[in-house]
Amino acid sequence: RYPLSPSTVCMLPQSGWKGVIRNVPKTRRVSNAEESSCFAVTVYSTPSSSGKRRILVLLGLKYPGNVGTIIRSAVQSNLFSSVYLVDTNVSDEDINWYSLQNAPLIEIIRFQSTESFLQHIPVQSRMIALELSPRSLNLYSPEAFELLHDKHLYLVVGAEDTGTPINVLERCQNLIEIPSMSASVNVSCAFASVLSIINIADRFSLSERRN
């Protein structure tokens, strides 16, 4: 599916998926989730300069400002090929507004439920959740540094209030937390911290190859 031009529309035969970008020039919706089991997902992604195919999973987020800010950061970093929006009622219009019109620059796919998302993810896929837990790795540890450099990583960011559901945590091979004096960190700020580590890990690896 990569790379595709901004006018490409993919037909995906699973009723759990739904494209979110609309009213963008040179695109068209082919069908609707309510009308058919096969519907359109419009792809706007370009190959990441680091060669990664990371996928960002926003699971159950409730506030448009957080969703938009995270998507804007993901687009500008050029480190993710796709964003999966799982079990969220944040509208397409709010996403485009709060992302400062960055949303059309990356592939965005909606999953109506956590279950439909889990059914889509290949069994052997590496998933890492940003979550406070006794088994979480420190974001700034060498282990987390290596894990975030994974070429085929699903990075899960859970809801602002309830975090990541148990059934998703059970599928995650690793959890990562940000050391903080307070009980928690704003979700968009937490993602920005993770993004900085991914960027450093990728640049470090690129420097090694050049030497």
Side-chain angles (χ1 to χ4, degrees):
R1 286 168 44 218
Y2 306 100
L4 298 174
S5 70
S7 61
T8 302
V9 176
C10 296
M11 299 302 294
L12 302 175
Q14 294 202 22
S15 58
W17 298 7
K18 185 176 181 182
V20 301
I21 302 303
R22 302 189 182 96
N23 302 321
V24 179
K26 299 183 180 179
T27 68
R28 61 191 179 92
R29 287 186 64 77
V30 176
S31 59
N32 189 287
E34 287 71 30
E35 299 169 354
S36 170
S37 61
C38 185
F39 49 89
V41 171
T42 307
V43 177
Y44 298 87
S45 61
T46 55
S48 168
S49 61
S50 61
K52 303 304 175 195
R53 296 295 179 224
R54 295 185 186 90
I55 293 176
L56 174 61
V57 182
L58 303 183
L59 205 161
L61 269 66
K62 299 175 176 62
Y63 300 103
N66 285 333
V67 176
T69 299
I70 290 173
I71 289 177
R72 183 169 77 247
S73 298
V75 169
Q76 295 302 321
S77 73
N78 198 29
L79 295 173
F80 294 86
S81 62
S82 309
V83 176
Y84 289 178
L85 292 180
V86 183
D87 191 23
T88 178
N89 292 321
V90 177
S91 70
D92 302 348
E93 291 75 17
D94 281 346
I95 290 172
N96 208 33
W97 173 265
Y98 284 98
S99 71
L100 301 182
Q101 313 302 315
N102 274 266
L105 302 177
I106 194 168
E107 177 187 60
I108 299 179
I109 299 176
R110 281 189 187 271
F111 292 84
Q112 296 175 348
S113 68
T114 301
E115 289 70 24
S116 63
F117 159 68
L118 290 175
Q119 290 171 6
H120 164 67
I121 303 301
V123 175
Q124 299 301 321
S125 297
R126 175 169 291 281
M127 292 176 60
I128 296 178
L130 187 58
E131 184 76 14
L132 289 172
S133 168
R135 70 182 182 97
S136 295
L137 295 170
N138 186 315
L139 172 63
Y140 306 112
S141 66
E143 294 84 358
F145 188 89
E146 291 296 328
L147 289 170
L148 291 171
H149 185 57
D150 194 305
K151 294 182 178 180
H152 302 283
L153 172 67
Y154 289 81
L155 178 62
V156 180
V157 179
E160 298 92 339
D161 50 356
T162 57
T164 305
I166 294 297
N167 58 345
V168 176
L169 291 178
E170 290 174 346
R171 283 286 302 274
C172 292
Q173 290 87 346
N174 301 95
L175 307 180
I176 289 177
E177 66 181 11
I178 299 172
S180 172
M181 295 294 291
S182 61
S184 63
V185 179
N186 173 271
V187 66
S188 59
C189 294
F191 175 70
S193 298
V194 175
L195 204 58
S196 67
I197 297 300
I198 294 176
N199 189 50
I200 292 170
D202 285 5
R203 289 178 180 273
F204 183 79
S205 175
L206 181 61
S207 176
E208 280 191 330
R209 289 198 300 270
R210 286 175 175 171
N211 293 333

